[in-house]
Amino acid sequence: MRVVLQRVSQASVSVDGEIIGEIGKGLLALVGVGHGDTEDDAKWLANKTIGLRIFQDNENKMNRSLVDVDGSILVISQFTLLGDCRKGRRPAFTDAAPPELARQLYRRYAQFISDQGVNTQLGKFAADMKVSLVNDGPVTMILD
């Protein structure tokens, strides 16, 4: 699994012109699932996500986690994170998991976070989504 985290002051996702998820301060998580990924990977990444100290403390140091700042998370499935661009000009997506597995692990990742008391909003799996965000910092991290 690969997760791209962006610290945001606000973010939303819409499908067919209707907002289906939105948050204020927190994280936008773009989640890609690959072949061989497991529920253990989803749980490890969820714990890393909520514990990562990338929010500023009173001394303007990145020393606080999502839980520490009572932040929210917007989780978006994004199989293109597994795109291989090394050859040619068209990405290959052979490393991406089949949709059934990807949907299951994407949801488990979000559920593990929600189970820790974090307000968790979701996009719509396999939909054409429009994601809006205000990147705070900017701060962007990649977790594998």
Side-chain angles (χ1 to χ4, degrees), residues 2-143:
R2 182 169 295 145
V3 178
V4 175
L5 294 174
Q6 294 186 299
R7 188 177 74 185
V8 298
S9 57
Q10 63 185 37
S12 65
V13 59
S14 61
V15 175
D16 296 329
E18 180 182 336
I19 293 176
I20 62 169
E22 63 183 327
I23 63 168
K25 181 178 185 171
L27 295 172
L28 170 66
L30 305 172
V31 179
V33 179
H35 290 287
D37 287 335
T38 66
E39 190 166 311
D40 287 342
D41 297 320
K43 186 174 187 176
W44 185 88
L45 284 167
N47 286 330
K48 184 66 127 175
T49 297
I50 63 173
L52 198 61
R53 298 183 335 186
I54 58 174
F55 291 90
Q56 293 178 327
D57 64 14
N58 293 337
E59 297 175 9
N60 290 327
K61 293 182 182 178
M62 286 199 295
N63 201 27
R64 300 183 77 203
S65 71
L66 183 63
V67 173
D68 294 335
V69 299
D70 195 28
S72 300
I73 189 166
L74 176 59
V75 183
I76 305 293
S77 64
Q78 189 169 351
F79 80 97
T80 60
L81 292 177
L82 282 291
D84 184 350
C85 299
R86 292 177 290 179
K87 294 182 183 177
R89 294 179 186 235
R90 182 177 173 175
F93 298 104
T94 55
D95 291 339
E100 307 80 39
L101 176 63
R103 177 182 283 115
Q104 175 188 353
L105 292 180
Y106 155 73
R107 288 185 176 159
R108 289 300 292 147
Y109 168 83
Q111 187 62 53
F112 285 132
I113 293 171
S114 178
D115 288 348
Q116 298 301 311
V118 175
N119 175 33
T120 304
Q121 301 288 309
L122 296 170
K124 184 175 180 183
F125 188 87
D128 180 15
M129 296 176 278
K130 306 300 182 210
V131 179
S132 299
L133 70 134
V134 176
N135 196 322
D136 180 18
V139 173
T140 303
M141 302 288 168
I142 301 171
L143 305 177

